[in-house]
Amino acid sequence: MMNDMSRRQFGAVVVGSTAAAALAACTPFGAASSTRGVGLTVIVVGAGVAGLAAARDLYRSGAEVIVLEARDRIGGRTATIVREGFALDLGASWIHGLDGNPVTELVNDAGLGLIETDVESAIGFDAATADGVLDDAALARAGARLDAAVEAGYETEVDQPLQRVVDAAASGASASEARLIRYLAASAIENEYAGPLSELSAWWFDEAGGYDGGDAMIEGGYAQVPEVLADELDVRLGAVVTAVSWGDDGVLVQTASESFEADAVIMTVPLGVLQSGAIAVDPPLPEAQQAAIAGLGMGVLNKVFMLFDEVFWDDSVDWIGIVPPDGLDPWVDWVTVGRADDVPVLLGFAAGDLGRSVDAMSDEQVVASALATLRSAYPSAPEPIEVLVTRWGADEFARGSYSFAAVGSDPEMRDDLAAGVGERLHLAGEATSREHPSTVHGALLSGRRAAENVLGDLGS
Ligand SMILES: Cc1cc2nc3c(=O)[nH]c(=O)nc-3n(C[C@H](O)[C@H](O)[C@H](O)COP(=O)(O)OP(=O)(O)OC[C@H]3O[C@@H](n4cnc5c(N)ncnc54)[C@H](O)[C@@H]3O)c2cc1C
C-alpha cells in the first residue's frame, strides 16, 4: 500500500540545545506524514548488527526508518581496525557454525571471503610437565571429571554458581588434575561465556543452541557485516539516546539535542546499557522485562593483540593453549590470527574476573600479565613491538562484551525481553535471543524478529 500521507511526520526533528527544549518544542505524537511505502515510521536505537538488521528489513518493507547511534561509527560490538593492511577484530571475530548461519548467507551474498579456523588445530603447553607440553591423556581425564560435575550441576534442586561445580570436580582430584580442571574451566567456560565462574548459572550457562559446520573469520574484518546491512539506511551517528517515551499513539525518542517522533521504537542497546539506566523509559518497562534486565549477566571478554618482530610460536596451528603456572594470570587461549596474512600477531583472551580487571589496567600492565603466562610456554618471547587492548566493560556504549546466564536467571527472561511492550516499544539485540544469545547471528535474528513484530503490529 502506498503511503496515505496520514501519518505523523517522521524525523522532522526539533533541534534544541537541551532535551527539555526539544521536548517543549516537539508536539508528542503530533500528526504529520511519512513519505514511504507502508506509512510507518520507526526509530531504531543502536547501529549494531541487531539494529541495522531491523532497520534494513523495515526499510525494505517500505517503512521510514532512522537509526540513532551513539558512537561515531556503526557496528557496535563488531569493530575492525586495519593496521598496515591487516584487519584486527576488536569485538566479534568468528562466524560460529557456518551451516545455516544467517551471517554466512549475508557474507556469501556480499562476496566476502572467509578464513576458516579449527579448534582442533591446536597445541597445548603446561610448564608442570617434564617436556612442557600439555598431556592430552591427563587433560581428557580432567575433562571427564569436569563433565561429570557439570552434569550433576544440572540436577541440583537449587541453581548454583559454576564455581561450585568446578570446585566439586577438583575436590578429590590430584593437584595436577585440579590445575587442568581449572584450566579447562577458564578456556571452555569463561572464555566462551564471558561471565566469571562465580556468577555463571550451573543450570543455564550453556543452554543456547548453535549451528554446525565449523568457525570462520571474515577476510578484511567483521565490520564489513554491519556495513553491508547499513546500505541505504538513514543512520545518525553521535546520537546518544537519553530517553524514550511510549504510549498508545506512538513514541518519542530523545537525544541531548533532538527529539524524534515515530509510530514505534526498537531499542537494541546492549544489556549492560539497559542495566545502567542510561536511557530513561517512560512509562517504565514492565516488571518481567525489568527482572530480565537485572537478572541476566553482562560478561567481559577482552582481547590483547600483540605484534612481534617475527613469529616465535608454533605457526602451523590456529590455537595455542597454556595451562597457567601457579600465581600467573589465566591467559589460557591464544590465536595465531596473523597466520593467513603472514603477520606476526598473536591474540590473547581475558574473560571472567581477568576480563574485568583488564578494563582497569594500563596497556603496560596487560602486556606484563599476558606475557608472563605466554613466556611459561615460550620462555624467549620478546616484548611486543605494538599492542592493542580492548576494554569492553569500560566502554559506556557496551558496558560489557555479551550477556550470560547468571545464577538466578532463566532462559525465559530472554523471551520476556524479546516480547516487546505493546505495539510501540520493542527490544532487540543479542541478549534478547534465547536460541543464540551472545553472538552476532543472535543479534541479527533478533533484529529481524523485532522488525517483523513491528510490521505485524502496525504495518497495514
Ligand atoms: C570481544 C568480543 C568478542 C566476541 N566474539 C564473538 C564472535 O567471535 N562471534 C560472535 O558471533 N559474537 C561474538 N561476540 C558477540 C557479538 O559481537 C555481539 O553479540 C553482537 O555484535 C551484538 O550486537 P547487538 O546489535 O546486539 O549489540 P551492539 O553491537 O552492541 O549494538 C548496540 C548499539 O547501540 C549503541 N548504543 C548504546 N547506547 C546507546 C545510546 N544511549 N544511544 C544510541 N545508541 C546507543 C552502541 O554504540 C551499539 O552500536 C563478541 C563480542 C565481543 C565484545
Side-chain angles (χ1 to χ4, degrees), residues 32 107 132 298 307 350-351 418 454:
V107 163
M298 191 65 179
L307 175 69
V454 170

mmCIF file of all heavy atoms in Angstrom, residues 32 107 132 298 307 350-351 418 454:
data_model
loop_
_atom_site.group_PDB
_atom_site.id
_atom_site.type_symbol
_atom_site.label_atom_id
_atom_site.label_comp_id
_atom_site.label_asym_id
_atom_site.label_seq_id
_atom_site.Cartn_x
_atom_site.Cartn_y
_atom_site.Cartn_z
ATOM 1 N N ALA A 32 1.478 14.208 11.198
ATOM 2 C CA ALA A 32 2.136 14.742 10.019
ATOM 3 C C ALA A 32 2.194 13.616 8.990
ATOM 4 O O ALA A 32 1.216 12.902 8.825
ATOM 5 C CB ALA A 32 3.500 15.277 10.351
ATOM 6 N N VAL A 107 27.328 -12.875 4.330
ATOM 7 C CA VAL A 107 28.720 -12.721 3.918
ATOM 8 C C VAL A 107 28.910 -13.281 2.501
ATOM 9 O O VAL A 107 29.580 -12.672 1.654
ATOM 10 C CB VAL A 107 29.637 -13.423 4.948
ATOM 11 C CG1 VAL A 107 31.015 -13.661 4.402
ATOM 12 C CG2 VAL A 107 29.699 -12.592 6.228
ATOM 13 N N GLY A 132 57.098 -29.812 29.124
ATOM 14 C CA GLY A 132 56.394 -28.530 28.964
ATOM 15 C C GLY A 132 55.188 -28.606 28.054
ATOM 16 O O GLY A 132 54.520 -27.600 27.818
ATOM 17 N N MET A 298 26.021 -9.532 32.424
ATOM 18 C CA MET A 298 26.790 -8.974 31.306
ATOM 19 C C MET A 298 28.248 -9.304 31.551
ATOM 20 O O MET A 298 28.844 -8.836 32.537
ATOM 21 C CB MET A 298 26.572 -7.460 31.221
ATOM 22 C CG MET A 298 27.103 -6.823 29.951
ATOM 23 S SD MET A 298 26.216 -7.409 28.464
ATOM 24 C CE MET A 298 27.036 -6.454 27.186
ATOM 25 N N LEU A 307 51.778 -7.507 18.470
ATOM 26 C CA LEU A 307 52.546 -7.608 17.224
ATOM 27 C C LEU A 307 54.017 -7.757 17.585
ATOM 28 O O LEU A 307 54.548 -6.962 18.381
ATOM 29 C CB LEU A 307 52.331 -6.345 16.381
ATOM 30 C CG LEU A 307 53.152 -6.244 15.102
ATOM 31 C CD1 LEU A 307 52.701 -7.273 14.061
ATOM 32 C CD2 LEU A 307 53.062 -4.834 14.518
ATOM 33 N N ALA A 350 40.999 -12.544 27.610
ATOM 34 C CA ALA A 350 40.819 -12.463 29.068
ATOM 35 C C ALA A 350 39.325 -12.344 29.339
ATOM 36 O O ALA A 350 38.692 -11.385 28.895
ATOM 37 C CB ALA A 350 41.540 -11.236 29.615
ATOM 38 N N ALA A 351 38.768 -13.316 30.058
ATOM 39 C CA ALA A 351 37.334 -13.270 30.361
ATOM 40 C C ALA A 351 37.132 -13.393 31.868
ATOM 41 O O ALA A 351 38.093 -13.508 32.634
ATOM 42 C CB ALA A 351 36.608 -14.396 29.630
ATOM 43 N N ALA A 418 12.382 -10.124 24.593
ATOM 44 C CA ALA A 418 12.038 -10.110 23.164
ATOM 45 C C ALA A 418 10.561 -9.800 22.913
ATOM 46 O O ALA A 418 10.183 -9.438 21.802
ATOM 47 C CB ALA A 418 12.385 -11.463 22.541
ATOM 48 N N VAL A 454 7.077 -5.399 14.542
ATOM 49 C CA VAL A 454 6.579 -4.041 14.282
ATOM 50 C C VAL A 454 5.665 -4.056 13.055
ATOM 51 O O VAL A 454 4.564 -3.499 13.073
ATOM 52 C CB VAL A 454 7.757 -3.059 14.063
ATOM 53 C CG1 VAL A 454 7.242 -1.714 13.552
ATOM 54 C CG2 VAL A 454 8.533 -2.862 15.353
#
